[in-house]
Amino acid sequence: MFNIQEFNHNLIGYALGDSLTTDDASQLNVAESGAASDDMLYMAKELIKRIKNDPRIDVENHWKLISIMIGVNDFCTNICWNSSPSSILDKHKADLIQVLTTLRENLPRTLISLIPPQHMKTLVVSRKGRPSFTCDLMTNIECSCMFGLKYQSFIPKYYNIMRRWQELDMEISIYPEFQRDDFAVITQAITLDLSIPLASDKYADTTYFTIDCFHYSQKTNARIANGLWNNLLEPVGVKTKSWQDLFERFLCPTSERPYLATLQNSSPREKEE
């Protein structure tokens, strides 16, 4: 958000601080903590309502950027309670198509930045070599499907489902019906293969997590934000998947590519790479 403000000081709608979605400070941020795939439609409808009721916004003429990232809670708390875990893929596909269609039909001049959820193997691996009662307790509570002993034999299957979820996001984003002159969906790549850097003892660097060993720390969020910003400017087909030290690589619009990258404004050669 702050990056975009550098190029457009008229930007509006971002949250003005830490807030619940019911607080005025949330503005157009309708993301709910703990949300799963089947919550997306409600949040999309709430966002549409807020945009249409905001006197600052000309719905027909103002361009809108909407970020969607969903799936981690499905992996952490839903997948292991489903008698047919892989069925969450069909449900997510239907959810996502319905949400994107709803946004397209109600919000012209809209760019959707679809951010696939991280693969939870990253989190599971980060706990190896780091025994901690507090961390073990918190990860078992917050992500029981990945850490609960009862489900350990199913982990390889869950990992495959997570990878397929990411692939679905990428596939749906390039459906022709979601690529128009006044509406486009772009999948960002930075979250596809996240890995936590190692500390000097060759185990995951815990400074990339908060005290619960589950949520990312400010340092991690900053690096992901840097990567997402680069993804927004990188053409489809050559978006960076690996993150780097903060500001080691920070792209800016150029005279040759002054716009956020979409499928339509990426060259055929770039798409093939």
Side-chain angles (χ1 to χ4, degrees), residues 28-267:
L28 301 180
N29 187 343
V30 298
E32 291 283 358
S33 176
S37 180
D38 57 7
D39 295 311
M40 282 194 297
L41 185 59
Y42 170 81
M43 292 187 286
K45 289 180 177 179
E46 174 63 21
L47 176 60
I48 291 167
K49 182 175 71 174
R50 292 191 189 189
I51 289 175
K52 290 185 174 181
N53 290 336
D54 193 321
R56 302 171 297 175
I57 300 174
D58 181 341
V59 176
E60 296 297 324
N61 294 300
H62 285 168
W63 277 97
K64 297 157 282 287
L65 174 63
I66 300 172
S67 296
I68 298 176
M69 182 179 185
I70 203 79
V72 168
N73 292 308
D74 294 88
F75 303 155
C76 276
T77 58
N78 292 346
I79 194 172
C80 57
W81 292 95
N82 196 313
S83 59
S84 177
S86 60
S87 66
I88 71 171
L89 294 172
D90 290 335
K91 183 65 170 63
H92 173 60
K93 180 178 180 179
D95 290 338
L96 185 56
I97 291 174
Q98 184 178 20
V99 165
L100 294 177
T101 301
T102 300
L103 292 171
R104 183 196 64 197
E105 296 306 308
N106 286 275
L107 299 177
R109 290 201 158 195
T110 294
L111 181 66
I112 306 293
S113 177
L114 182 59
I115 307 164
Q118 70 171 68
H119 196 292
M120 297 309 291
K121 184 177 181 179
T122 302
L123 179 64
V124 174
V125 171
S126 73
R127 296 298 313 124
K128 296 186 182 299
R130 299 286 187 215
S132 164
F133 173 77
T134 300
C135 289
D136 290 345
L137 176 64
M138 294 306 297
T139 50
N140 269 283
I141 292 173
E142 295 177 305
C143 197
S144 57
C145 291
M146 294 296 108
F147 291 94
L149 294 177
K150 179 179 179 180
Y151 308 112
Q152 291 307 295
S153 62
F154 300 105
I155 291 297
K157 182 175 183 178
Y158 295 163
Y159 283 172
N160 289 335
I161 292 172
M162 291 176 211
R163 183 60 70 189
R164 181 58 189 146
W165 184 294
Q166 293 178 324
E167 292 170 352
L168 276 174
D169 282 358
M170 292 185 286
E171 292 168 8
I172 293 169
S173 72
I174 61 173
Y175 280 8
E177 59 262 41
F178 300 134
Q179 301 296 328
R180 305 193 315 197
D181 290 340
D182 69 340
F183 184 91
V185 181
I186 311 96
T187 302
Q188 311 306 346
I190 194 65
T191 54
L192 292 176
D193 295 307
L194 281 182
S195 60
I196 301 301
L198 302 181
S200 58
D201 61 2
K202 305 305 180 183
Y203 291 111
D205 185 344
T206 56
T207 64
Y208 284 88
F209 294 94
T210 57
I211 194 170
D212 66 359
C213 304
F214 176 74
H215 292 97
Y216 286 143
S217 66
Q218 185 176 7
K219 178 167 73 173
T220 311
N221 285 325
R223 287 180 63 159
I224 293 175
N226 190 164
L228 282 174
W229 170 252
N230 289 342
N231 275 180
L232 283 170
L233 295 174
E234 291 168 329
V236 173
V238 292
K239 292 184 182 293
T240 305
K241 293 183 180 180
S242 59
W243 63 353
Q244 299 162 311
D245 288 338
L246 194 60
F247 298 125
E248 181 177 313
R249 181 171 178 268
F250 192 88
L251 301 182
C252 289
T254 65
S255 56
E256 293 79 18
R257 295 197 61 86
Y259 307 113
L260 301 183
T262 68
L263 189 65
Q264 290 195 31
N265 67 27
S266 298
S267 70

